[in-house]
């Protein structure tokens, strides 16, 4: 084993040290060297469990990708075989199949992953139009009032339409999370505050060596492009919704399958469109596992996880954090076992994706607002918003806080054991366990943020 100086990209990216490092962006020079941040607030919040929330979000996202891939495959089978009755154990086996493919891509095929991601981007955009055009052309179109002015609160059971709206809009927040995935890969590249480019940690991690991206711009356009496409999807799906009761009580388990079938009146055509979505969910899981494993690796390098000496190792053959990749896979597999016993418990965990992501975003945004209002010096990286930074921070903080609160509400009332939203209990439990671990043991060993990497067998 040997110790290498890692080229850091905390700066304007949010970096591998997760989003709380945005509180004070590090100066990053052209050769990739990083000036260590001295912002005490960011370190304090790290020690209080901010990174626990971010890790929780990414691990839940990885489980969500494999689970939804399996769930949609089961629904597609039910569409083509009406006698088929989906079971949870079958869903877990399909989850494992998706997980094995994902782990294979993230280890054995890791050197072609950047090129594969480029092809996935093309399929993503082409698939959007491949679904939108036939649905809009073939489906019976709802009137404008149904899409823009009609509010139906009969399904939720809540007496307040406003409350129902706030709870419902939290689901749309899924379009605006996960953009920090590029940050968690950024440490593996030179000049990451400006570029994601060749030579992932020189002579060792050379995965992305044919591609040149500007990471901050990539993060921005990820939100801009997917936000626009997501909004467009909401619009054309509402215009093509058909009978709301029929869609929401679909025998296939997922309303969009009923919408597709109602539009095409063809099981073959519906299956083709569903297959595109299945592929996208599985492909998205490639990135979920890659980012989740890098984040776990960075935290273990700071001695923030139990058995950190094991998890922080980088495989000398493949030049990737193999141990944390398989740790992420193990967590995913164990969560799949929960689904066999109780889909309610499993859904409580995967529903943490939005709340865990956004709460980890909120804390650094709030600290940045405080520094701006106090006119404290901030060492910005190459990418910043200038005088627009404070207004954008304020809007982001309000939206994030409101959305996080309403993600913990049950989707409908009255509530019973099956319909209760247990994500608040799981979220609070993880935060409490993280704090307890820090008080009892973690504070003795946690030394983040570290800039060293262990390369071992």
């Amino acid at each position: 084993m040997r110790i290498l100086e890692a080229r850091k990209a905390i700066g304007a990216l949010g970096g591998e040290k997760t989003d709380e490092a945005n509180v004070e962006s590090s100066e990053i020079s052209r050769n990739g060297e990083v000036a260590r941040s001295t912002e005490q607030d960011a370190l304090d919040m790290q020690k209080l469990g901010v990174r626990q929330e971010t890790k929780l979000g990414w691990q839940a996202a990885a489980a969500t990708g494999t689970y939804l891939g399996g769930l949609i495959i089961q629904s597609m089978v039910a569409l083509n075989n009406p006698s088929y009755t989906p079971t949870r154990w079958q869903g877990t086996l399909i989850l494992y199949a998706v997980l094995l493919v994902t782990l294979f891509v993230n280890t054995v095929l890791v050197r072609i992953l950047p090129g594969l991601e480029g092809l996935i981007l093309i399929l993503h955009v082409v698939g959007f139009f491949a679904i939108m055009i036939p649905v809009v052309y073939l489906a019976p179109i709802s009137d404008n009032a149904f899409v823009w002015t009609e509010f139906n609160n009969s399904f939720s059971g809540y007496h307040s339409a406003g409350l129902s709206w706030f709870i419902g809009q939290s689901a749309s927040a899924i379009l605006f999370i996960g953009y920090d995935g590029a940050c968690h890969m950024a440490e593996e590249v030179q000049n990451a505050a400006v570029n994601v480019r060749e030579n992932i940690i020189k002579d060792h991690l050379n995965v992305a060596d044919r591609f040149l991206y500007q990471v901050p711009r990539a993060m921005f356009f990820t939100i801009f492009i997917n936000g626009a496409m997501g909004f467009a999807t909401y619009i054309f799906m509402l215009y093509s919704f058909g009978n709301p009761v029929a869609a929401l009580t679909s025998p296939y388990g997922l309303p969009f399958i009923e919408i597709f079938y109602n539009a095409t009146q063809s099981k073959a055509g519906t299956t083709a469109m569903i297959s595109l979505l299945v592929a996208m969910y599985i492909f998205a899981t490639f990135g979920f596992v890659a980012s989740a494993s890098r984040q776990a690796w960075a935290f273990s390098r700071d001695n923030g996880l139990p058995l950190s000496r094991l998890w922080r190792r980088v495989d000398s053959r493949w030049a990737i954090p193999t141990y944390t990749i398989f740790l992420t896979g193990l967590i995913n597999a164990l969560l799949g076992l929960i689904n066999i016993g109780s889909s309610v418990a499993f859904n409580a965990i995967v529903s943490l994706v939005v709340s865990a992501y956004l709460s980890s975003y909120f804390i650094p945004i709030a600290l940045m607002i405080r520094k701006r209002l106090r006119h404290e010096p901030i060492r910005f990286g190459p990418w910043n918003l200038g005088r627009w930074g404070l207004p954008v921070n304020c809007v982001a903080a309000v939206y994030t806080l409101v959305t996080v609160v309403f993600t913990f509400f049950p989707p409908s009332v009255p509530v019973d054991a099956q319909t209760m939203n247990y994500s608040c209990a799981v979220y609070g439990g993880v935060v409490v366990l993280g704090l307890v671990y820090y008080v009892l043991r973690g504070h003795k060993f946690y030394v983040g943020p570290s800039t060293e990497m262990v390369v071992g067998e």
Side-chain angles (χ1 to χ4, degrees), residues 84-214:
Y84 172 69
T85 302
T87 60
R88 290 196 297 269
W89 69 266
Q90 291 172 337
T92 297
L93 289 180
I94 300 174
L95 179 153
Y96 285 163
V98 175
L99 178 59
L100 288 175
V101 172
T102 301
L103 294 177
F104 181 77
V105 171
N106 273 273
T107 52
V108 179
L109 301 184
V110 68
R111 295 188 182 279
I112 68 170
L113 183 57
L116 184 60
E117 293 284 4
L119 295 176
I120 292 171
L121 174 61
I122 295 173
L123 181 61
H124 174 54
V125 176
V126 172
F128 168 76
F129 291 101
I131 291 176
M132 180 184 70
I133 293 173
V135 169
V136 172
Y137 182 75
L138 297 173
I141 301 301
S142 306
D143 55 35
N144 291 328
F146 175 79
V147 177
W148 300 104
T149 61
E150 182 179 327
F151 291 88
N152 191 328
N153 193 30
S154 60
F155 296 99
S156 70
Y158 286 101
H159 296 298
S160 170
L163 178 59
S164 295
W165 185 88
F166 275 110
I167 296 172
Q169 73 84 31
S170 63
S172 65
I174 197 74
L175 299 171
F176 303 105
I177 63 175
Y179 56 85
D180 56 316
C183 294
H184 305 308
M185 305 296 292
E187 185 175 15
E188 302 178 10
V189 303
Q190 294 177 342
N191 300 326
V194 179
N195 301 318
V196 167
R197 60 186 242 181
E198 56 188 37
N199 298 328
I200 294 183
I201 301 182
K202 186 177 180 181
D203 297 331
H204 289 275
L205 302 178
N206 54 0
V207 177
D209 58 335
R210 291 183 183 177
F211 295 88
L212 175 64
Y213 301 105
Q214 294 182 332

Side-chain angles (χ1 to χ4, degrees), residues 291-434:
S291 293
S293 61
R294 266 58 173 194
Q295 192 180 70
W297 170 72
F299 199 28
S300 63
R301 185 184 54 188
D302 298 342
N303 290 322
L305 291 178
L307 302 177
S308 289
R309 291 177 61 86
L310 174 64
W311 308 127
R312 69 190 181 196
R313 294 181 181 179
V314 174
D315 187 272
S316 58
R317 176 184 176 186
W318 287 336
I320 55 175
T322 310
Y323 291 91
T324 51
I325 290 175
F326 286 112
L327 172 64
T328 300
L330 176 62
I331 294 173
N332 201 316
L334 294 176
L335 291 177
L337 293 177
I338 295 176
N339 183 53
I340 296 177
S342 172
S343 59
V344 175
F346 181 81
N347 289 331
I349 295 173
V350 299
S351 64
L352 290 171
V353 174
V354 173
S355 57
Y357 271 118
L358 291 184
S359 58
S360 70
Y361 298 165
F362 173 77
I363 294 175
I365 293 172
L367 293 175
M368 179 66 81
I369 291 174
R370 190 189 72 170
K371 289 183 69 67
R372 290 180 183 274
L373 293 178
R374 291 184 175 185
H375 302 289
E376 296 179 5
I378 303 173
R379 293 201 301 271
F380 288 106
W383 175 276
N384 66 81
L385 296 176
R387 61 189 179 90
W388 291 100
L390 182 58
V392 170
N393 288 155
C394 292
V395 172
V398 172
Y399 169 78
T400 301
L401 182 61
V402 170
T403 302
V404 167
V405 170
F406 284 103
T407 59
F408 297 131
F409 279 64
S412 62
V413 292
V415 176
D416 57 29
Q418 295 296 317
T419 61
M420 175 60 186
N421 185 350
Y422 294 98
S423 61
C424 55
V426 178
Y427 178 93
V430 171
V431 172
V432 170
L433 287 176

Side-chain angles (χ1 to χ4, degrees), residues 10-25:
I10 298 176
L13 294 176
E16 178 65 38
K17 306 320 296 175
T18 71
D19 302 283
E20 70 272 23
N22 286 331
V23 174
E24 182 169 350
S25 301

